[in-house]
Amino acid sequence: RGGAGEMLAAAALVLLLAAAPGRAGAGQARGDALREELLLSPLPTGDLAATFQFRTRWDADLQQRGAVSHYRLFPKALGRLVAALGVRELHLALTQGFWRTRAWGQPPLQAPAGAELWVWFQPTVTDVDKAWKELSNILSGIFCASLNFIDSTNTVTPTASFKPLGLANGTDHHLLRYAVLPREVVCTENLTPWKKLLPCGSKAGLAVLLKAERLFYSSYHSQAVHIRPICRDASCLAVSWELRQTLTVVFDTFSSGQGKKDWSLFKMFSRTLTDACPLASESKVYVDISPKNKEKELLEVTPPPPSVHEAIVQGDKRTYAVYDLLNPSLFNTSRSLNVQLKWKRPQDSSELLTPVLHAHRYVSGYGLQTGEISTLIYNTHPYRAFPVILLETVPWYLRLYVHTLTIITKGKENKPSYIHYQPAQDRQRPHLLEMLIQLPANSITKITIQFERALLKWTEYPPDPNHGFYVGSSVLSALVPSVMAMKDVDVEQSPLFTSLFPSSDGSSYFVRMYTEPLLVNLPTPDFSMPYNVICLTCTVVAVCYGSFYNLLTRTFHVEEPSRGGLAKRLANIIRKFRGVPPL
Amino acid sequence: VCTSRFWFNYRHVANTLSVYRSVKRLGIPDSHIVLMLADDMACNPRNPKPATVFSHKNMELNVYGDDVEVDYRSYEVTVENFLRVLTGRIPPNTPRSKRLLSDDRSNILIYMTGHGGNGFLKFQDSEEITNVELADAFEQMWQKRRYNELLFIIDTCQGASMYERFYSPNIMALASSQVGEDSLSHQPDLGIGVHLMDRYTFYVLEFLEEIHPASQTNMNDLFQVCPKSLCVSTPGHRTDLFQRDPQSVLITDFFGSVRKVEITTETVSLDRDLAGFESKLPKDELATEPLKYAEQLPVAQIIHQKPKQKDWHPPGGFILGLWALIIMVFFKTYGIKHMKHIF
């Protein structure tokens, strides 16, 4: 074993030396390729969403033992993890902020606030819970996040949502685990290891724009890692592994834009692009210039884009300006690329389109005993109805009353076609509620359920219990009818943001949305009370009992007078002679 | 280790990050640093400049930087986790970055800051660690040979009380104030609205900024940092347990990572044979029929899904007691001979 390792290490050095000057090996049998892409989409409210995607695709089977020992573009930490723990699919997202679907439209890929981890394991894994615990601990070390807090109290096994996004040979939901940590904070310490997983790091290519000071000064920041097996080619007889690292940022007009709606790469990231990553086979910047009303364009992009790409994304035809960083003519005029977007005319509010599906969740009620969780789902399509799966995970300390669950659409009750409810066990399992609801056209569906707040043991409270307790976002998975039918596209030729979800038929597209997380106050004791009680009790005991004890047991004795000093004794002797009683 | 939570304890996080920054600058890699921050100040909603933590007013120096790895954060910073890291008794699944992988040739620097009192240090406003516990943890480390020499720096009120009880050899300790004195903060920043650093650590940071990996400054200079005129408290130190003379101990022994490198002029030639390497790998197994992706929302399949078969357990507890009572009452009333009516 040692000899083989030595030989492989030597061969690895040779490979590294051989591959360094050229592009990613397209001719090698075990090729891996990197594609990087940045999508700038202006949002209806004047903000701008920037989505980075880095996709490393490796034509090797990670699950085969002994097949892989040399890692080139695919990071070794994640490759070893997939092989050792029998992971089929891994999706980890760390998000700060909330995507406002009603104002901004459907996102390409949304994640809930906090940390979300969902994993499909291979059928060969015997103890899925043990592998899940090990996986969350290892990931907490890699990404500097508190994922080790994922345990049975916040893990669920969904039965209808979260179908695998990669190649699947049957979907036994016993192999799926889903957990969300809404309290997780995302900051530079999570971005640093994420950037280190990229083949070029943050030194070349699109990743030079990822500077923490600008990225976290935003309304929404989400970074994710997705690992899944995909078809190696059109015949789909062999498996390749794909690692996608996505980062979505929404820059706010008022905080980053200083009130003006004109955007440029320098204004957003305080940096411009100078070159592509030398290890990437494709490196492109897409700018969404779709006309909203099919009249004139309302966005002007400088420098003028060398090419324009049209694609059907989320059921609608969109136009993109494309800058290819591997094209040497792009850097002819200036050494750096600073894409600037200017609005040609101001937007009026009539142009703001509401998305077909959006949702809103809130908690109502008063006092610290009971409450109600309400979810409103809006279907704004004028004539098409479609189904949606709602997955709610509620922690055990909010005791749900399922008999109060009501689903009302247009004033009438709407019975779900499929409902799965798993009640919570105190301190062991959260509530899981999954429902498949048909949303009629142009309707608002309101789902309400009442709950009661539990009183925790005093050691179970976090150090800042008056902040409240978070309830994770609920997940809505839906097949939304598309405006324009989508054709089957070749994954390798189309931009990365079109191939996130495998598309089945063109009449509808799959979307996964998240609602707001909730912040709920539990009845919190006053933690200084033990000290107060001890002081008060001891005082009361000392004063009351002590006084009674004294009254009952104290006796008075006459004390012998003392002999006195010399003068007194002389006076007593004189008095004795006189026959007078002594002093 | 920063042990304080809440926004107004910004200065403790800035203290810890400035020491972290200095040791990284002097060469210690992240794999050899365990950084514990009890709260997140950089991305706190109250921070007017997100992803930054400043140590000097007018935002001169961002000690958070772009390359920071926090190992224990937020609720993970507890007395139990801290003692487990020191003594090495951690749960088996803990990743490497959260372990203190030291042996008997390692020099360890421990810097702690937060709110403290006479004999204790407060963790996250909910628990304390006492000087006795800390001394015992260091003794466990000594017995397990987890350190060669240990430098302990503490910046809290009455910090000298924390090192009074140490009894293991090879420990040198520094504190920012004596028993009965408070450590004071340095300067507030009106833009951020809180005090940015504590005085003792501010002057230690200034001192460390002048150290470079090859400097020969020794511990006696560190003891002179921050006299009473600058820090209003009196810093203290303890060297009786340390075997070497502080004059001969370099700052870089603890704060930096200085390695002895020997340069050789021999050449090593690598084997350029690549064909042999490729043929050794096993071929991929091809599937017989094309694999396909799963359908994301198979409505028909979901509706007709059979519910998960739960394993049948015999009834226990209340239900068993209830049925036993019913059956007992029945047989008491009607007698055993009526059993034939049931079976």
Side-chain angles (χ1 to χ4, degrees):
Chain A
R1 201 123 191 145
E6 238 174 49
M7 168 124 175
L8 282 171
L13 266 166
V14 173
L15 258 179
L16 212 58
L17 292 165
R23 300 266 181 258
Q28 281 179 5
R30 290 298 164 94
D32 46 5
L34 169 71
R35 284 173 62 181
E36 52 178 24
E37 165 189 296
L38 165 62
L39 169 67
L40 299 171
S41 10
L43 300 169
T45 51
D47 307 322
L48 191 109
T51 308
F52 290 84
Q53 280 208 43
F54 300 91
R55 184 190 117 156
T56 306
R57 178 208 142 124
W58 197 11
D59 294 329
D61 193 2
L62 283 170
Q63 297 292 334
Q64 228 183 345
R65 307 216 62 178
V68 167
S69 52
H70 169 56
Y71 291 84
R72 195 172 145 257
L73 295 179
F74 202 96
K76 182 172 174 183
L78 296 179
R80 295 260 309 249
L81 189 69
V82 166
L85 291 175
V87 168
R88 190 166 79 195
E89 256 186 57
L90 188 143
H91 302 269
L92 169 67
L94 293 161
T95 313
Q96 173 205 55
F98 180 67
W99 182 275
R100 302 191 187 114
T101 314
R102 189 193 229 151
W104 293 342
Q106 298 279 5
L109 192 65
Q110 193 188 356
E116 183 206 36
L117 175 66
W118 60 280
V119 175
W120 276 92
F121 286 94
Q122 297 280 356
T124 52
V125 173
T126 44
D127 193 349
V128 179
D129 289 317
K130 183 159 158 289
W132 170 251
K133 188 90 187 106
E134 265 190 58
L135 180 69
S136 43
N137 274 311
I138 295 176
L139 287 175
S140 87
I142 297 177
F143 291 101
C144 293
S146 314
L147 298 175
N148 48 324
F149 283 141
I150 291 179
D151 56 7
S152 64
T153 59
N154 44 30
T155 308
V156 290
T157 307
T159 53
S161 323
F162 291 105
K163 298 273 183 216
L165 287 178
L167 292 173
N169 199 8
T171 54
D172 181 8
H173 277 263
H174 285 115
L175 301 167
L176 168 66
R177 293 286 183 273
Y178 172 79
V180 69
L181 293 171
R183 186 79 170 98
E184 196 62 24
V185 173
V186 186
C187 208
T188 315
E189 65 253 20
N190 306 111
L191 186 64
T192 309
W194 189 92
K195 283 197 289 193
K196 286 186 182 162
L197 292 174
L198 297 171
C200 278
S202 56
K203 299 191 174 44
L206 294 174
V208 297
L209 298 176
L210 300 173
K211 289 294 161 197
E213 279 184 15
R214 304 297 302 173
L215 288 179
F216 288 101
Y217 197 28
S218 54
S219 313
Y220 176 81
H221 170 102
S222 171
Q223 62 196 56
V225 170
H226 303 276
I227 303 177
R228 59 176 181 165
I230 54 171
C231 292
R232 196 177 292 189
D233 45 26
S235 66
C236 211
L237 288 172
V239 168
S240 293
W241 283 82
E242 177 193 79
L243 164 70
R244 270 190 206 230
Q245 288 179 256
T246 65
L247 195 141
T248 310
V249 195
V250 173
F251 291 103
D252 199 78
T253 329
F254 295 105
S255 49
S256 322
Q258 287 116 38
K260 295 203 219 35
K261 290 187 183 172
D262 297 331
W263 295 102
S264 72
L265 281 183
F266 188 77
K267 192 170 170 189
M268 293 190 283
F269 301 105
S270 68
R271 254 154 204 86
T272 54
L273 293 166
T274 45
D275 59 352
C277 174
L279 298 169
S281 60
E282 197 182 298
S283 179
K284 290 192 176 150
V285 177
Y286 291 88
V287 184
D288 187 350
I289 50 173
S290 320
K292 293 283 184 295
N293 273 355
K294 299 185 182 22
E295 298 170 355
K296 315 174 276 207
E297 292 179 355
L298 44 117
L299 208 55
E300 187 196 315
V301 185
T302 46
S307 60
V308 167
H309 178 88
E310 282 187 2
I312 299 182
V313 170
Q314 288 179 347
D316 203 357
K317 187 158 112 150
R318 303 259 182 99
T319 323
Y320 297 95
V322 185
Y323 296 88
D324 189 352
L325 292 172
L326 289 171
N327 190 353
S329 63
L330 193 66
F331 295 107
N332 268 349
T333 43
S334 67
R335 276 202 55 214
S336 70
L337 172 69
N338 183 16
V339 178
Q340 287 169 346
L341 291 89
K342 279 199 204 7
W343 297 93
K344 279 193 195 153
R345 54 191 168 90
Q347 280 184 305
D348 24 303
S349 52
S350 63
E351 288 176 6
L352 296 174
L353 299 163
T354 43
V356 176
L357 173 69
H358 61 275
H360 175 49
R361 186 172 76 150
Y362 55 93
V363 69
S364 51
Y366 60 90
L368 286 175
Q369 192 181 3
T370 53
E372 187 182 70
I373 299 179
S374 311
T375 313
L376 291 170
I377 309 181
Y378 297 81
N379 176 5
T380 56
H381 202 281
Y383 52 86
R384 290 279 298 270
F386 53 87
V388 68
I389 298 186
L390 173 68
L391 171 77
E392 284 224 28
T393 313
V394 178
W396 63 267
Y397 40 81
L398 298 183
R399 304 208 163 103
L400 294 182
Y401 289 118
V402 185
H403 73 280
T404 57
L405 174 68
T406 56
I407 309 173
I408 298 189
T409 312
K410 288 182 178 170
K412 294 196 309 265
E413 203 201 316
N414 183 353
K415 202 154 149 25
S417 334
Y418 170 81
I419 181 164
H420 172 78
Y421 174 64
Q422 192 183 51
Q425 275 182 334
D426 273 7
R427 298 177 182 88
Q428 275 175 40
R429 218 170 52 189
H431 296 275
L432 171 67
L433 180 61
E434 247 184 304
M435 298 185 285
L436 177 67
I437 306 169
Q438 286 285 348
L439 302 177
N442 207 10
S443 64
I444 302 176
T445 307
K446 182 167 176 176
I447 303 153
T448 54
I449 186 164
Q450 289 179 4
F451 64 87
E452 187 188 62
R453 300 169 213 230
L455 187 65
L456 300 178
K457 297 183 185 165
W458 77 297
T459 46
E460 288 174 345
Y461 286 96
D464 53 349
N466 289 299
H467 179 89
F469 291 77
Y470 282 92
V471 179
S473 312
S474 36
V475 188
L476 290 156
S477 321
L479 279 174
V480 182
S482 29
V483 172
M484 212 169 281
M486 291 186 293
K487 313 180 278 288
D488 249 344
V489 284
D490 182 14
V491 173
E492 296 304 317
Q493 302 303 321
S494 55
L496 289 172
F497 56 84
T498 54
S499 55
L500 281 164
F501 294 109
S503 56
S504 45
D505 70 277
S507 63
S508 54
Y509 62 95
F510 179 75
V511 70
R512 186 176 289 134
M513 277 174 38
Y514 297 87
T515 60
E516 295 93 332
L518 303 173
L519 185 59
V520 168
N521 261 325
L522 287 186
T524 311
D526 182 357
F527 293 99
S528 59
M529 277 317 280
Y531 168 75
N532 295 343
V533 164
I534 292 172
C535 284
L536 191 68
T537 317
C538 290
T539 313
V540 165
V541 164
V543 168
C544 296
Y545 176 71
S547 325
F548 270 114
Y549 181 78
N550 278 338
L551 278 174
L552 293 174
T553 58
R554 195 162 48 188
T555 54
F556 295 94
H557 299 282
V558 177
E559 210 177 78
E560 290 296 312
S562 55
R563 299 293 302 187
L566 186 61
K568 220 165 164 186
R569 269 195 273 162
L570 275 172
N572 279 340
I573 292 168
I574 295 168
R575 280 190 164 217
K576 208 156 66 173
F577 281 130
R578 283 171 57 193
V580 171
L583 286 167
Chain B
V1 176
C2 161
T3 59
S4 301
R5 177 165 273 276
F6 305 122
W7 173 246
F8 48 83
N9 290 322
Y10 183 101
R11 58 187 189 280
H12 296 139
V13 173
N15 289 349
T16 318
L17 286 171
S18 51
V19 175
Y20 171 78
R21 184 178 167 279
S22 305
V23 301
K24 268 186 89 160
R25 193 176 53 81
L26 291 171
I28 301 187
D30 272 311
S31 56
H32 288 244
I33 305 178
V34 175
L35 177 62
M36 300 171 118
L37 296 181
D39 200 0
D40 171 59
M41 298 302 166
C43 292
N44 196 310
R46 290 171 80 165
N47 192 348
K49 296 224 146 219
T52 57
V53 173
F54 293 107
S55 61
H56 289 63
K57 73 172 177 201
N58 299 328
M59 304 185 201
E60 283 165 23
L61 181 61
N62 175 15
V63 287
Y64 199 56
D66 219 9
D67 185 20
V68 57
E69 288 185 17
V70 181
D71 302 301
Y72 287 85
R73 45 183 213 160
S74 189
Y75 298 126
E76 289 174 295
V77 179
T78 56
V79 174
E80 184 189 339
N81 280 348
F82 175 62
L83 292 177
R84 280 183 186 278
V85 166
L86 285 183
T87 53
R89 294 174 156 163
I90 2 191
N93 280 332
T94 319
R96 282 180 72 97
S97 58
K98 286 183 166 172
R99 294 181 190 232
L100 181 63
L101 300 163
S102 59
D103 59 8
D104 62 323
R105 297 306 307 156
S106 314
N107 287 354
I108 302 185
L109 163 71
I110 301 180
Y111 175 84
M112 299 182 77
T113 181
H115 288 289
N118 189 356
F120 68 92
L121 170 63
K122 191 166 74 158
F123 265 69
Q124 291 215 44
D125 212 18
S126 65
E127 47 184 5
E128 299 92 30
I129 185 173
T130 54
N131 47 6
V132 177
E133 277 177 357
L134 196 58
D136 287 341
F138 287 161
E139 177 63 16
Q140 278 193 50
M141 287 173 80
W142 175 250
Q143 303 241 349
K144 289 187 187 180
R145 298 289 178 265
R146 279 170 72 78
Y147 70 89
N148 174 32
E149 287 173 344
L150 200 143
L151 175 63
F152 176 75
I153 308 182
I154 185 159
D155 187 351
T156 62
C157 304
Q158 307 192 45
S161 62
M162 289 304 286
Y163 62 62
E164 273 170 1
R165 300 291 190 112
F166 292 166
Y167 53 94
S168 320
N170 284 354
I171 301 185
M172 195 184 322
L174 279 118
S176 60
S177 55
Q178 301 292 333
V179 175
E181 285 180 350
D182 286 339
S183 290
L184 300 177
S185 58
H186 186 63
Q187 47 180 306
D189 179 289
L190 298 174
I192 300 179
V194 284
H195 285 262
L196 294 181
M197 282 273 268
D198 279 333
R199 284 177 190 249
Y200 181 69
T201 312
F202 182 81
Y203 291 106
V204 167
L205 175 65
E206 265 189 19
F207 171 79
L208 288 174
E209 288 286 299
E210 278 151 38
I211 309 280
H212 54 90
S215 73
Q216 299 291 313
T217 346
N218 54 40
M219 279 294 163
N220 274 341
D221 304 321
L222 189 58
F223 296 156
Q224 308 305 325
V225 162
C226 207
K228 199 169 156 82
S229 52
L230 289 173
C231 295
V232 179
S233 53
T234 321
H237 54 91
R238 181 178 174 177
T239 51
D240 57 319
L241 294 165
F242 207 75
Q243 278 165 17
R244 294 194 284 157
D245 180 25
Q247 186 84 21
S248 63
V249 178
L250 297 176
I251 297 282
T252 50
D253 277 354
F254 289 102
F255 284 88
S257 163
V258 179
R259 289 152 200 271
K260 293 188 172 41
V261 176
E262 276 181 33
I263 302 185
T264 173
T265 50
E266 289 177 24
T267 52
V268 178
S269 60
L270 300 169
D271 188 6
R272 289 197 74 92
D273 177 23
L274 205 54
F277 166 65
E278 278 287 347
S279 64
K280 276 200 172 44
L281 297 167
K283 288 273 173 271
D284 276 341
E285 294 163 12
L286 292 178
T288 41
E289 38 180 68
L291 307 156
K292 49 191 191 331
Y293 293 101
E295 221 186 294
Q296 291 300 305
L297 196 67
V299 177
Q301 187 203 18
I302 290 172
I303 292 176
H304 297 115
Q305 197 168 308
K306 278 212 281 278
K308 202 166 59 161
Q309 292 295 338
K310 276 179 63 114
D311 301 326
W312 184 81
H313 299 285
F318 177 71
I319 303 286
L320 184 67
L322 187 69
W323 277 106
L325 184 69
I326 291 171
I327 289 176
M328 244 176 39
V329 168
F330 178 80
F331 284 126
K332 202 85 168 50
T333 328
Y334 294 106
I336 288 288
K337 64 180 193 296
H338 287 269
M339 264 207 346
K340 64 176 193 287
H341 293 288
I342 306 168
F343 294 106

